[in-house]
Amino acid sequence: PESIRKVATLVKYFVERGGHQLQLNAINPDKLRDAQLHPENYRRLVVRIWGWSAYFVELDKEYQDHVMMRQQYQV
């Protein structure tokens, strides 16, 4: 409930300040780590970064690590 309130506050603040585009992603970092270890179980896991989408398991490990690093921020 606290995280939901924080995200709602962030979105409201963004809109009130005239924001035009906001992209929020939520994913469990443990799921991404497991997808690296067991890609056969996550063929349909899609990540969205910088305006494009990709199947996580089709990305090179270096880029998968980059995606996971970006997901470490918490609200």
Side-chain angles (χ1 to χ4, degrees), residues 24-48:
L24 302 172
N25 298 301
I27 186 131
N28 182 328
D30 294 332
K31 185 176 278 192
L32 292 178
R33 282 189 283 279
D34 195 52
Q36 277 188 317
L37 297 172
H38 308 284
E40 66 280 2
N41 298 332
Y42 296 91
R43 297 264 178 237
R44 300 186 71 183
L45 177 61
V46 176
V47 292
R48 182 165 176 83

Side-chain angles (χ1 to χ4, degrees), residues 7-72:
V7 171
T9 301
L10 171 69
V11 172
K12 183 178 178 186
Y13 180 85
F14 179 80
V15 171
E16 287 174 350
R17 302 294 178 287
H20 296 284
Q21 182 178 3
L22 178 64
Q23 190 178 91
L24 302 172
N25 298 301
I27 186 131
N28 182 328
D30 294 332
K31 185 176 278 192
L32 292 178
R33 282 189 283 279
D34 195 52
Q36 277 188 317
L37 297 172
H38 308 284
E40 66 280 2
N41 298 332
Y42 296 91
R43 297 264 178 237
R44 300 186 71 183
L45 177 61
V46 176
V47 292
R48 182 165 176 83
I49 304 283
W50 301 315
W52 56 269
S53 298
Y55 289 106
F56 181 78
V57 299
E58 293 179 1
L59 299 172
D60 293 336
K61 184 180 183 309
E62 179 181 0
Y63 200 75
Q64 289 178 345
D65 291 341
H66 178 76
V67 169
M68 290 190 303
M69 182 187 71
R70 289 176 52 106
Q71 299 302 319
Q72 296 303 311

